[in-house]
PDB file of all heavy atoms in Angstrom:
ATOM      1  N   ALA A 839       0.352   2.472   2.345  1.00  0.00           N
ATOM      2  CA  ALA A 839      -0.628   2.110   1.375  1.00  0.00           C
ATOM      3  C   ALA A 839       0.025   1.928   0.030  1.00  0.00           C
ATOM      4  O   ALA A 839       0.994   2.604  -0.287  1.00  0.00           O
ATOM      5  CB  ALA A 839      -1.732   3.142   1.314  1.00  0.00           C
ATOM      6  N   ALA A 840      -0.508   1.040  -0.793  1.00  0.00           N
ATOM      7  CA  ALA A 840      -0.040   0.886  -2.148  1.00  0.00           C
ATOM      8  C   ALA A 840      -1.227   0.534  -3.037  1.00  0.00           C
ATOM      9  O   ALA A 840      -1.966  -0.396  -2.790  1.00  0.00           O
ATOM     10  CB  ALA A 840       1.008  -0.249  -2.228  1.00  0.00           C
ATOM     11  N   GLY A 841      -1.434   1.333  -4.078  1.00  0.00           N
ATOM     12  CA  GLY A 841      -2.482   1.048  -5.033  1.00  0.00           C
ATOM     13  C   GLY A 841      -2.047  -0.071  -5.962  1.00  0.00           C
ATOM     14  O   GLY A 841      -0.902  -0.105  -6.387  1.00  0.00           O
ATOM     15  N   ALA A 842      -2.955  -1.028  -6.270  1.00  0.00           N
ATOM     16  CA  ALA A 842      -2.663  -2.152  -7.099  1.00  0.00           C
ATOM     17  C   ALA A 842      -3.902  -2.607  -7.818  1.00  0.00           C
ATOM     18  O   ALA A 842      -5.032  -2.343  -7.394  1.00  0.00           O
ATOM     19  CB  ALA A 842      -2.063  -3.290  -6.298  1.00  0.00           C
ATOM     20  N   LEU A 843      -3.711  -3.317  -8.921  1.00  0.00           N
ATOM     21  CA  LEU A 843      -4.817  -3.861  -9.664  1.00  0.00           C
ATOM     22  C   LEU A 843      -5.040  -5.306  -9.205  1.00  0.00           C
ATOM     23  O   LEU A 843      -4.197  -6.190  -9.432  1.00  0.00           O
ATOM     24  CB  LEU A 843      -4.522  -3.844 -11.182  1.00  0.00           C
ATOM     25  CG  LEU A 843      -5.667  -4.233 -12.112  1.00  0.00           C
ATOM     26  CD1 LEU A 843      -6.863  -3.290 -11.944  1.00  0.00           C
ATOM     27  CD2 LEU A 843      -5.233  -4.214 -13.550  1.00  0.00           C
ATOM     28  N   PHE A 844      -6.143  -5.555  -8.508  1.00  0.00           N
ATOM     29  CA  PHE A 844      -6.509  -6.859  -8.013  1.00  0.00           C
ATOM     30  C   PHE A 844      -7.288  -7.577  -9.110  1.00  0.00           C
ATOM     31  O   PHE A 844      -8.258  -7.044  -9.640  1.00  0.00           O
ATOM     32  CB  PHE A 844      -7.312  -6.749  -6.743  1.00  0.00           C
ATOM     33  CG  PHE A 844      -6.554  -6.206  -5.540  1.00  0.00           C
ATOM     34  CD1 PHE A 844      -6.393  -4.828  -5.372  1.00  0.00           C
ATOM     35  CD2 PHE A 844      -5.974  -7.069  -4.629  1.00  0.00           C
ATOM     36  CE1 PHE A 844      -5.653  -4.330  -4.318  1.00  0.00           C
ATOM     37  CE2 PHE A 844      -5.204  -6.588  -3.561  1.00  0.00           C
ATOM     38  CZ  PHE A 844      -5.073  -5.190  -3.391  1.00  0.00           C
ATOM     39  N   VAL A 845      -6.838  -8.785  -9.431  1.00  0.00           N
ATOM     40  CA  VAL A 845      -7.429  -9.544 -10.564  1.00  0.00           C
ATOM     41  C   VAL A 845      -7.872 -10.920 -10.132  1.00  0.00           C
ATOM     42  O   VAL A 845      -7.182 -11.602  -9.354  1.00  0.00           O
ATOM     43  CB  VAL A 845      -6.442  -9.622 -11.731  1.00  0.00           C
ATOM     44  CG1 VAL A 845      -6.143  -8.226 -12.334  1.00  0.00           C
ATOM     45  CG2 VAL A 845      -5.134 -10.258 -11.284  1.00  0.00           C
ATOM     46  N   ASN A 846      -9.038 -11.330 -10.608  1.00  0.00           N
ATOM     47  CA  ASN A 846      -9.556 -12.643 -10.312  1.00  0.00           C
ATOM     48  C   ASN A 846      -8.972 -13.604 -11.389  1.00  0.00           C
ATOM     49  O   ASN A 846      -9.519 -13.644 -12.521  1.00  0.00           O
ATOM     50  CB  ASN A 846     -11.101 -12.661 -10.332  1.00  0.00           C
ATOM     51  CG  ASN A 846     -11.685 -13.956  -9.904  1.00  0.00           C
ATOM     52  OD1 ASN A 846     -11.257 -15.043 -10.311  1.00  0.00           O
ATOM     53  ND2 ASN A 846     -12.731 -13.903  -9.095  1.00  0.00           N
ATOM     54  N   THR A 847      -7.963 -14.313 -11.064  1.00  0.00           N
ATOM     55  CA  THR A 847      -7.274 -15.156 -12.064  1.00  0.00           C
ATOM     56  C   THR A 847      -8.160 -16.272 -12.575  1.00  0.00           C
ATOM     57  O   THR A 847      -8.018 -16.734 -13.695  1.00  0.00           O
ATOM     58  CB  THR A 847      -5.956 -15.732 -11.455  1.00  0.00           C
ATOM     59  OG1 THR A 847      -6.280 -16.446 -10.259  1.00  0.00           O
ATOM     60  CG2 THR A 847      -5.001 -14.622 -11.149  1.00  0.00           C
ATOM     61  N   GLU A 848      -9.091 -16.725 -11.703  1.00  0.00           N
ATOM     62  CA  GLU A 848     -10.043 -17.807 -12.134  1.00  0.00           C
ATOM     63  C   GLU A 848     -10.904 -17.283 -13.267  1.00  0.00           C
ATOM     64  O   GLU A 848     -11.125 -18.016 -14.310  1.00  0.00           O
ATOM     65  CB  GLU A 848     -10.876 -18.257 -10.989  1.00  0.00           C
ATOM     66  CG  GLU A 848     -11.858 -19.380 -11.320  1.00  0.00           C
ATOM     67  CD  GLU A 848     -12.671 -19.824 -10.151  1.00  0.00           C
ATOM     68  OE1 GLU A 848     -13.553 -19.049  -9.711  1.00  0.00           O
ATOM     69  OE2 GLU A 848     -12.458 -20.925  -9.646  1.00  0.00           O
ATOM     70  N   LEU A 849     -11.425 -16.069 -13.162  1.00  0.00           N
ATOM     71  CA  LEU A 849     -12.245 -15.513 -14.228  1.00  0.00           C
ATOM     72  C   LEU A 849     -11.455 -15.293 -15.504  1.00  0.00           C
ATOM     73  O   LEU A 849     -11.940 -15.507 -16.600  1.00  0.00           O
ATOM     74  CB  LEU A 849     -12.866 -14.169 -13.798  1.00  0.00           C
ATOM     75  CG  LEU A 849     -14.098 -14.285 -12.868  1.00  0.00           C
ATOM     76  CD1 LEU A 849     -14.587 -12.893 -12.492  1.00  0.00           C
ATOM     77  CD2 LEU A 849     -15.214 -15.060 -13.505  1.00  0.00           C
ATOM     78  N   PHE A 850     -10.211 -14.869 -15.351  1.00  0.00           N
ATOM     79  CA  PHE A 850      -9.339 -14.716 -16.543  1.00  0.00           C
ATOM     80  C   PHE A 850      -9.152 -16.047 -17.203  1.00  0.00           C
ATOM     81  O   PHE A 850      -9.239 -16.170 -18.474  1.00  0.00           O
ATOM     82  CB  PHE A 850      -8.005 -14.073 -16.145  1.00  0.00           C
ATOM     83  CG  PHE A 850      -8.032 -12.582 -16.141  1.00  0.00           C
ATOM     84  CD1 PHE A 850      -8.451 -11.889 -14.987  1.00  0.00           C
ATOM     85  CD2 PHE A 850      -7.628 -11.873 -17.234  1.00  0.00           C
ATOM     86  CE1 PHE A 850      -8.493 -10.495 -14.970  1.00  0.00           C
ATOM     87  CE2 PHE A 850      -7.640 -10.456 -17.230  1.00  0.00           C
ATOM     88  CZ  PHE A 850      -8.081  -9.766 -16.111  1.00  0.00           C
ATOM     89  N   ASP A 851      -8.855 -17.067 -16.440  1.00  0.00           N
ATOM     90  CA  ASP A 851      -8.599 -18.432 -17.013  1.00  0.00           C
ATOM     91  C   ASP A 851      -9.846 -19.022 -17.660  1.00  0.00           C
ATOM     92  O   ASP A 851      -9.817 -19.530 -18.784  1.00  0.00           O
ATOM     93  CB  ASP A 851      -8.097 -19.374 -15.919  1.00  0.00           C
ATOM     94  CG  ASP A 851      -6.687 -19.009 -15.460  1.00  0.00           C
ATOM     95  OD1 ASP A 851      -5.983 -18.270 -16.176  1.00  0.00           O
ATOM     96  OD2 ASP A 851      -6.338 -19.438 -14.331  1.00  0.00           O
ATOM     97  N   LYS A 852     -10.966 -18.920 -16.962  1.00  0.00           N
ATOM     98  CA  LYS A 852     -12.216 -19.511 -17.486  1.00  0.00           C
ATOM     99  C   LYS A 852     -12.671 -18.839 -18.798  1.00  0.00           C
ATOM    100  O   LYS A 852     -13.281 -19.491 -19.634  1.00  0.00           O
ATOM    101  CB  LYS A 852     -13.327 -19.380 -16.456  1.00  0.00           C
ATOM    102  CG  LYS A 852     -13.220 -20.397 -15.314  1.00  0.00           C
ATOM    103  CD  LYS A 852     -14.436 -20.303 -14.388  1.00  0.00           C
ATOM    104  CE  LYS A 852     -14.390 -21.354 -13.304  1.00  0.00           C
ATOM    105  NZ  LYS A 852     -15.581 -21.255 -12.384  1.00  0.00           N
ATOM    106  N   ASN A 853     -12.367 -17.556 -18.947  1.00  0.00           N
ATOM    107  CA  ASN A 853     -12.828 -16.827 -20.107  1.00  0.00           C
ATOM    108  C   ASN A 853     -11.719 -16.648 -21.144  1.00  0.00           C
ATOM    109  O   ASN A 853     -11.872 -15.914 -22.139  1.00  0.00           O
ATOM    110  CB  ASN A 853     -13.372 -15.480 -19.713  1.00  0.00           C
ATOM    111  CG  ASN A 853     -14.665 -15.621 -18.966  1.00  0.00           C
ATOM    112  OD1 ASN A 853     -15.731 -15.778 -19.564  1.00  0.00           O
ATOM    113  ND2 ASN A 853     -14.612 -15.527 -17.619  1.00  0.00           N
ATOM    114  N   ASN A 854     -10.590 -17.354 -20.911  1.00  0.00           N
ATOM    115  CA  ASN A 854      -9.439 -17.337 -21.854  1.00  0.00           C
ATOM    116  C   ASN A 854      -8.986 -15.916 -22.184  1.00  0.00           C
ATOM    117  O   ASN A 854      -8.756 -15.554 -23.333  1.00  0.00           O
ATOM    118  CB  ASN A 854      -9.822 -18.057 -23.127  1.00  0.00           C
ATOM    119  CG  ASN A 854      -8.605 -18.443 -23.975  1.00  0.00           C
ATOM    120  OD1 ASN A 854      -7.543 -18.656 -23.420  1.00  0.00           O
ATOM    121  ND2 ASN A 854      -8.781 -18.484 -25.288  1.00  0.00           N
ATOM    122  N   VAL A 855      -8.888 -15.115 -21.098  1.00  0.00           N
ATOM    123  CA  VAL A 855      -8.422 -13.724 -21.241  1.00  0.00           C
ATOM    124  C   VAL A 855      -7.060 -13.613 -20.591  1.00  0.00           C
ATOM    125  O   VAL A 855      -6.832 -14.141 -19.482  1.00  0.00           O
ATOM    126  CB  VAL A 855      -9.395 -12.754 -20.578  1.00  0.00           C
ATOM    127  CG1 VAL A 855      -8.866 -11.325 -20.671  1.00  0.00           C
ATOM    128  CG2 VAL A 855     -10.773 -12.854 -21.215  1.00  0.00           C
ATOM    129  N   LYS A 856      -6.142 -12.945 -21.266  1.00  0.00           N
ATOM    130  CA  LYS A 856      -4.753 -12.793 -20.784  1.00  0.00           C
ATOM    131  C   LYS A 856      -4.678 -11.694 -19.714  1.00  0.00           C
ATOM    132  O   LYS A 856      -5.259 -10.615 -19.881  1.00  0.00           O
ATOM    133  CB  LYS A 856      -3.822 -12.450 -21.926  1.00  0.00           C
ATOM    134  CG  LYS A 856      -2.368 -12.267 -21.558  1.00  0.00           C
ATOM    135  CD  LYS A 856      -1.531 -11.886 -22.728  1.00  0.00           C
ATOM    136  CE  LYS A 856      -0.061 -11.646 -22.337  1.00  0.00           C
ATOM    137  NZ  LYS A 856       0.756 -11.218 -23.514  1.00  0.00           N
ATOM    138  N   LEU A 857      -3.943 -11.966 -18.649  1.00  0.00           N
ATOM    139  CA  LEU A 857      -3.675 -10.930 -17.654  1.00  0.00           C
ATOM    140  C   LEU A 857      -2.887  -9.785 -18.302  1.00  0.00           C
ATOM    141  O   LEU A 857      -1.877 -10.036 -18.976  1.00  0.00           O
ATOM    142  CB  LEU A 857      -2.882 -11.476 -16.470  1.00  0.00           C
ATOM    143  CG  LEU A 857      -3.649 -12.373 -15.465  1.00  0.00           C
ATOM    144  CD1 LEU A 857      -2.660 -12.978 -14.472  1.00  0.00           C
ATOM    145  CD2 LEU A 857      -4.731 -11.632 -14.762  1.00  0.00           C
ATOM    146  N   PRO A 858      -3.353  -8.563 -18.139  1.00  0.00           N
ATOM    147  CA  PRO A 858      -2.711  -7.428 -18.900  1.00  0.00           C
ATOM    148  C   PRO A 858      -1.366  -6.992 -18.304  1.00  0.00           C
ATOM    149  O   PRO A 858      -1.268  -6.701 -17.112  1.00  0.00           O
ATOM    150  CB  PRO A 858      -3.733  -6.345 -18.768  1.00  0.00           C
ATOM    151  CG  PRO A 858      -4.444  -6.633 -17.482  1.00  0.00           C
ATOM    152  CD  PRO A 858      -4.514  -8.109 -17.361  1.00  0.00           C
ATOM    153  N   ALA A 859      -0.362  -6.990 -19.166  1.00  0.00           N
ATOM    154  CA  ALA A 859       0.964  -6.441 -18.789  1.00  0.00           C
ATOM    155  C   ALA A 859       1.202  -5.091 -19.442  1.00  0.00           C
ATOM    156  O   ALA A 859       2.065  -4.353 -19.034  1.00  0.00           O
ATOM    157  CB  ALA A 859       2.056  -7.421 -19.216  1.00  0.00           C
ATOM    158  N   THR A 860       0.391  -4.760 -20.474  1.00  0.00           N
ATOM    159  CA  THR A 860       0.494  -3.484 -21.132  1.00  0.00           C
ATOM    160  C   THR A 860      -0.896  -2.822 -21.208  1.00  0.00           C
ATOM    161  O   THR A 860      -1.920  -3.464 -20.956  1.00  0.00           O
ATOM    162  CB  THR A 860       0.980  -3.657 -22.600  1.00  0.00           C
ATOM    163  OG1 THR A 860      -0.025  -4.358 -23.353  1.00  0.00           O
ATOM    164  CG2 THR A 860       2.294  -4.438 -22.642  1.00  0.00           C
ATOM    165  N   TYR A 861      -0.914  -1.547 -21.554  1.00  0.00           N
ATOM    166  CA  TYR A 861      -2.181  -0.831 -21.637  1.00  0.00           C
ATOM    167  C   TYR A 861      -3.066  -1.421 -22.723  1.00  0.00           C
ATOM    168  O   TYR A 861      -4.306  -1.558 -22.523  1.00  0.00           O
ATOM    169  CB  TYR A 861      -1.912   0.635 -21.870  1.00  0.00           C
ATOM    170  CG  TYR A 861      -3.208   1.465 -21.962  1.00  0.00           C
ATOM    171  CD1 TYR A 861      -3.872   1.822 -20.795  1.00  0.00           C
ATOM    172  CD2 TYR A 861      -3.704   1.877 -23.177  1.00  0.00           C
ATOM    173  CE1 TYR A 861      -5.045   2.582 -20.853  1.00  0.00           C
ATOM    174  CE2 TYR A 861      -4.848   2.649 -23.255  1.00  0.00           C
ATOM    175  CZ  TYR A 861      -5.516   2.952 -22.096  1.00  0.00           C
ATOM    176  OH  TYR A 861      -6.702   3.678 -22.143  1.00  0.00           O
ATOM    177  N   ASP A 862      -2.515  -1.739 -23.830  1.00  0.00           N
ATOM    178  CA  ASP A 862      -3.273  -2.334 -24.929  1.00  0.00           C
ATOM    179  C   ASP A 862      -3.876  -3.656 -24.507  1.00  0.00           C
ATOM    180  O   ASP A 862      -5.021  -3.966 -24.850  1.00  0.00           O
ATOM    181  CB  ASP A 862      -2.404  -2.519 -26.184  1.00  0.00           C
ATOM    182  CG  ASP A 862      -2.089  -1.227 -26.883  1.00  0.00           C
ATOM    183  OD1 ASP A 862      -2.815  -0.231 -26.647  1.00  0.00           O
ATOM    184  OD2 ASP A 862      -1.113  -1.169 -27.649  1.00  0.00           O
ATOM    185  N   GLU A 863      -3.136  -4.425 -23.757  1.00  0.00           N
ATOM    186  CA  GLU A 863      -3.667  -5.708 -23.260  1.00  0.00           C
ATOM    187  C   GLU A 863      -4.768  -5.472 -22.221  1.00  0.00           C
ATOM    188  O   GLU A 863      -5.732  -6.279 -22.174  1.00  0.00           O
ATOM    189  CB  GLU A 863      -2.547  -6.569 -22.650  1.00  0.00           C
ATOM    190  CG  GLU A 863      -1.566  -7.102 -23.685  1.00  0.00           C
ATOM    191  CD  GLU A 863      -0.386  -7.823 -23.075  1.00  0.00           C
ATOM    192  OE1 GLU A 863      -0.253  -7.794 -21.825  1.00  0.00           O
ATOM    193  OE2 GLU A 863       0.395  -8.432 -23.801  1.00  0.00           O
ATOM    194  N   LEU A 864      -4.681  -4.383 -21.483  1.00  0.00           N
ATOM    195  CA  LEU A 864      -5.770  -4.059 -20.528  1.00  0.00           C
ATOM    196  C   LEU A 864      -7.031  -3.744 -21.299  1.00  0.00           C
ATOM    197  O   LEU A 864      -8.118  -4.237 -20.937  1.00  0.00           O
ATOM    198  CB  LEU A 864      -5.342  -2.869 -19.672  1.00  0.00           C
ATOM    199  CG  LEU A 864      -6.409  -2.332 -18.665  1.00  0.00           C
ATOM    200  CD1 LEU A 864      -6.742  -3.444 -17.651  1.00  0.00           C
ATOM    201  CD2 LEU A 864      -5.894  -1.088 -17.967  1.00  0.00           C
ATOM    202  N   LEU A 865      -6.931  -2.908 -22.343  1.00  0.00           N
ATOM    203  CA  LEU A 865      -8.098  -2.601 -23.166  1.00  0.00           C
ATOM    204  C   LEU A 865      -8.685  -3.839 -23.795  1.00  0.00           C
ATOM    205  O   LEU A 865      -9.913  -4.038 -23.883  1.00  0.00           O
ATOM    206  CB  LEU A 865      -7.715  -1.578 -24.254  1.00  0.00           C
ATOM    207  CG  LEU A 865      -7.711  -0.092 -23.848  1.00  0.00           C
ATOM    208  CD1 LEU A 865      -7.276   0.763 -25.029  1.00  0.00           C
ATOM    209  CD2 LEU A 865      -9.088   0.327 -23.356  1.00  0.00           C
TER     210      LEU A 865
END
Side-chain angles (χ1 to χ4, degrees):
L843 188 59
F844 292 83
V845 293
N846 187 316
T847 55
E848 182 180 70
L849 281 180
F850 273 85
D851 291 341
K852 283 185 176 180
N853 291 280
N854 197 29
V855 178
K856 180 183 178 182
L857 287 174
T860 68
Y861 181 77
D862 287 341
E863 289 176 352
L864 178 61
L865 277 178

